Amino acid sequence: MTFVRAAVVTLLIAQPALAERPTSLATVADRSHDLRTGRYEEIQRLCPAYQRQWPDQVRCVEFGRTPEGRPMLALVASADGVLEAAQARRRERPVVLMQGGIHAGEPDGKDAGMRALREMLQGPVAAEALRGATLVFAPALNVDGHERFGPWNRPNQTGPEEMGWRTTAQNYNLNRDYVKAEAPEMQAMLRLLNEWDPVMYVDLHVTNGAKFEHDISYNIAPTLAGDPALRASAAAVLEELMDRAEKWGSLPLDFYPSFVREDDPSSGFAADVGPKRFSHEYWAARNRIGVLVETHSWKNYPTRVRITRNTIIALLEMAARDGGKWMQAARGADARAAEIGGSIAALTYENTDDVRTIDFRGYQYVREPSAISGALVTRYDDRKPQIWRVPLRYAVRPGITVAAPRGGYIVPAAYAERVAEKLSLHGIQYRKLETPVHDAQTETFRATAVNLAPATFEGRPVMTLEGEWRPEQRDAPAGSLFVPIAQPAAHIVLTLFEPRDPDSLASWGFFAAAFEPKEYMEAYVAEEVAVEMLEKDPQLARQFAQRLAEDGEFAKSPAARLEFFYRRHPSWDERLNLYPVYRVERSDW
């Protein structure tokens, strides 16, 4: 049998939105000295205009359509004409994919990226960067959100005068969607990633949070955990990026500046390994370098655009110089991931007790009771800089771990079509069983507790499952899927299918119906059945009496007492709480 691979999207040349040749490649941000940002029409005009200006160095491509019908555009740039994904693979050319506006109220990446690209193409800024690496740049991933334009869409942010909205037209936060991949915009981006396989994926943001002097933070994965060789490459990128930022006058951070206790600066910070729903963690799990760039929302827009532009150019220069080494490390990580079967793998990480005190450049503040909310509120005086001596939790250890199966996972035919779509989006290899397999030796996960979140999250009924994998014989009908663990995307396979991973399909509620009782026994029938069972089985009678004596809540609950017998009756649904994905040790399916 042959493996089914993820389909790649064929990119089409976007047609100019306006027939006439533009007289200028300047953006609204350029012309307003970074006080304002343009509408998406500007990208629709400039993307083909860049291609016309530099036809041998730029392609304007449409890689998807939004729910409201807008084109999702990207610019592919290379000084020596490496403008096709297949060509880049043949040439072993490093590819860097950058995106702005995944949160469309944060347009820094869009304006800084268009400016940086124009300057690199015109020269002399970073003139050689695009000769050593190919850039794929999507100025605004959340296009529909970008066009929900207004002056107060980011109340915690200084400028521009108007900006887009955080979420999509379907109210998805795209930077929570990398694993579950429900939004059409995310599906389009995953196909673009599959096609180009960039060695580095850069996500350009603006952070919310407290008021302080630091103007940008860099979160690069994998640096705290992950494949050792790839970690070394990513750590070197982070170290050089921090050095460069300091030299151009910024105050960079190498961790995300979110307080351990919300709104309390004295609680300090924690450098962590986040879940794979986030862009940089997701791409690191696919054995590449993920970069999350966060300018600080309280810096003015000209400052934020300038330092984002500097960051873009710095990363392209590093990619041109070191991208070959990164690609070698990535290929090694692919090979090692494919050998993970039978090993202990970490699904999550948590901070250790290791702490160091850092000097953090904040502002004077007071914490006092609020007459409005009744809570303690932090009030900053941004006219008075102050060094905060605060703790930083800087180390992590595995949290939830699992022994990876030696063979892989079986997805029963009833769920195959739906799951196959997700696998293809993630570039995961799988194959479909042509004939049924009966009484297969598997491991099954039967939930001992199912905890539903009190509210939906990102439109999903999020749940936490408790339980363990145990040996069991199950049938695998024809049409079921076998997903081998022995493949480069093994870490994403584990994320999708291990039910205790917070980004698994099970945790996101895709299999919620499997944990809902459907059939039932009427109470009057259960009463009669219980009497018969007690008469026929003295041991069951002793168990029932002991439970009554030892469990007061059980004794007081008529429903629980009847369910005691129903669960032991042949009519009980043996599939209730059975997670409908099985682990197998064999790989020859």
Side-chain angles (χ1 to χ4, degrees):
M1 301 178 188
T2 58
F3 284 116
V4 179
R5 293 185 180 272
V8 297
V9 66
T10 300
L11 299 181
L12 303 176
I13 298 295
Q15 296 302 312
L18 300 177
E20 65 274 13
R21 183 182 180 88
T23 58
S24 171
L25 299 179
T27 64
V28 168
D30 295 324
R31 294 193 296 272
S32 68
H33 303 287
D34 293 326
L35 296 179
R36 293 181 287 115
T37 190
R39 301 296 293 265
Y40 193 66
E41 175 278 327
E42 177 175 81
I43 300 303
Q44 291 179 274
R45 175 177 59 82
L46 288 178
C47 187
Y50 272 53
Q51 177 174 310
R52 288 194 297 271
Q53 181 72 21
W54 295 284
D56 298 325
Q57 297 172 282
V58 176
R59 286 177 59 231
C60 177
V61 300
E62 178 181 328
F63 64 95
R65 287 267 165 170
T66 71
E68 292 185 339
R70 296 184 176 92
M72 301 175 67
L73 301 178
L75 296 99
V76 181
S78 166
D80 54 354
V82 183
L83 300 174
E84 301 283 350
Q87 184 185 14
R89 283 192 291 274
R90 288 194 304 270
R91 296 266 297 266
E92 296 192 350
R93 177 64 167 263
V95 175
V96 177
L97 196 154
M98 296 190 183
Q99 69 188 24
I102 191 172
H103 296 150
E106 305 166 19
D108 305 28
K110 177 193 67 172
D111 289 328
M114 296 301 291
R115 183 175 302 166
L117 178 56
R118 186 180 68 241
E119 291 176 348
M120 285 188 287
L121 290 165
Q122 290 173 336
V125 174
E128 296 301 310
L130 292 177
R131 293 191 181 279
T134 293
L135 171 65
V136 181
F137 176 54
L141 180 60
N142 177 12
V143 182
D144 289 344
H146 187 283
E147 291 306 277
R148 187 177 170 183
F149 221 63
W152 290 106
N153 287 347
R154 291 274 290 172
N156 311 304
Q157 180 173 299
T158 303
E161 292 177 358
E162 293 181 288
M163 70 286 288
W165 190 255
R166 183 176 184 83
T167 58
T168 71
Q170 296 175 331
N171 207 34
Y172 285 121
N173 183 338
L174 290 177
N175 203 26
R176 307 294 184 271
D177 198 41
Y178 276 87
V179 177
K180 65 185 180 69
E182 286 193 288
E185 296 93 335
M186 181 53 62
Q187 294 170 9
M189 175 51 68
L190 291 175
R191 294 186 185 104
L192 190 66
L193 288 167
N194 288 339
E195 181 179 21
W196 281 95
D197 189 20
V199 70
M200 175 180 281
Y201 181 26
V202 184
D203 193 4
L204 304 167
H205 281 254
V206 184
T207 184
N208 288 320
K211 287 190 175 182
F212 45 74
E213 288 194 291
H214 295 278
D215 53 11
I216 194 166
S217 72
Y218 299 119
N219 299 267
I220 300 183
T223 50
L224 296 178
D227 182 84
L230 197 60
R231 282 179 65 184
S233 294
V237 172
L238 179 56
E239 182 178 2
E240 182 171 345
L241 198 54
M242 292 287 292
D243 288 343
R244 287 191 180 213
E246 289 175 357
K247 288 176 182 176
W248 68 57
S250 278
L251 297 172
L253 295 168
D254 58 2
F255 58 87
Y256 189 90
S258 179
F259 296 139
V260 170
R261 291 191 301 273
E262 186 176 1
D263 198 40
D264 184 357
S266 68
S267 65
F269 306 95
D272 63 0
V273 177
K276 299 171 189 69
R277 67 192 60 169
F278 300 122
S279 60
H280 62 304
E281 299 290 3
Y282 172 79
W283 203 235
R286 288 188 61 170
N287 311 318
R288 306 294 184 262
I289 298 174
V291 181
L292 174 66
V293 178
E294 295 269 4
T295 57
H296 187 38
S297 62
W298 291 114
K299 304 305 174 188
N300 62 42
Y301 198 52
T303 298
R304 301 201 320 263
V305 172
R306 173 179 54 81
I307 58 180
T308 303
R309 173 264 185 200
N310 293 346
T311 299
I312 291 169
I313 291 174
L315 289 171
L316 259 295
E317 289 180 326
M318 283 187 261
R321 186 192 66 210
D322 298 331
K325 298 176 184 177
W326 302 347
M327 293 174 69
Q328 185 177 2
R331 286 192 291 267
D334 282 347
R336 287 182 285 275
E339 296 173 352
I340 199 174
S343 301
I344 300 298
L347 301 178
T348 64
Y349 289 87
E350 60 190 17
N351 283 109
T352 68
D353 295 329
D354 297 307
V355 175
R356 67 169 178 261
T357 301
I358 63 171
D359 291 336
F360 190 89
R361 294 182 57 159
Y363 295 109
Q364 288 187 18
Y365 68 91
V366 295
R367 299 259 297 157
E368 58 189 15
S370 167
I372 304 299
S373 67
L376 277 178
V377 63
T378 303
R379 304 190 193 281
Y380 299 95
D381 186 345
D382 57 13
R383 299 165 300 174
K384 299 177 180 179
Q386 183 182 69
I387 299 297
W388 300 344
R389 297 278 291 167
V390 293
L392 171 67
R393 295 183 178 272
Y394 62 88
V396 300
R397 63 190 170 206
I400 300 173
T401 61
V402 67
R406 295 183 185 278
Y409 297 85
I410 296 291
V411 180
Y415 299 89
E417 182 177 0
R418 188 181 191 187
V419 171
E421 293 175 356
K422 301 296 183 187
L423 298 177
S424 294
L425 286 168
H426 293 297
I428 292 173
Q429 303 165 1
Y430 64 93
R431 58 181 173 242
K432 184 175 291 188
L433 302 188
E434 297 177 355
T435 58
V437 179
H438 299 289
D439 295 325
Q441 295 293 332
T442 73
E443 287 183 305
T444 61
F445 185 99
R446 291 182 178 270
T448 56
V450 180
N451 303 304
L452 277 171
T456 60
F457 177 61
E458 289 300 306
R460 302 297 311 173
V462 179
M463 56 179 54
T464 302
L465 303 178
E466 298 176 26
E468 300 291 338
W469 292 100
R470 299 187 185 281
E472 188 173 339
Q473 290 184 319
R474 303 296 304 186
D475 292 340
S480 298
L481 305 181
F482 170 61
V483 185
I485 197 68
Q487 58 177 302
H491 295 294
I492 299 297
V493 172
L494 289 174
T495 296
L496 287 171
F497 291 130
E498 284 299 325
R500 293 189 299 152
D501 190 295
D503 273 319
S504 69
L505 294 176
S507 294
W508 278 111
F510 283 92
F511 300 115
F515 307 100
E516 299 171 358
K518 301 297 184 180
E519 193 53 89
Y520 59 94
M521 183 180 286
E522 296 284 1
Y524 72 90
V525 176
E527 294 278 359
E528 297 171 359
V529 165
V531 172
E532 294 176 3
M533 294 173 71
L534 289 171
E535 291 175 349
K536 293 180 180 178
D537 190 341
Q539 183 177 358
L540 180 65
R542 289 192 295 271
Q543 292 174 353
F544 183 58
Q546 183 177 1
R547 183 79 182 274
L548 288 173
E550 296 177 353
D551 187 342
E553 292 299 320
F554 173 79
K556 292 187 293 185
S557 172
R561 291 167 64 157
L562 291 178
E563 187 176 299
F564 176 89
F565 297 97
Y566 182 28
R567 282 181 173 270
R568 291 159 175 78
H569 191 267
S571 63
W572 176 256
D573 180 9
E574 68 89 17
R575 294 188 184 182
L576 178 62
N577 289 340
L578 173 66
Y579 171 50
V581 175
Y582 316 139
R583 292 163 44 122
V584 292
E585 295 295 286
R586 288 172 41 204
S587 58
D588 57 339
W589 290 82

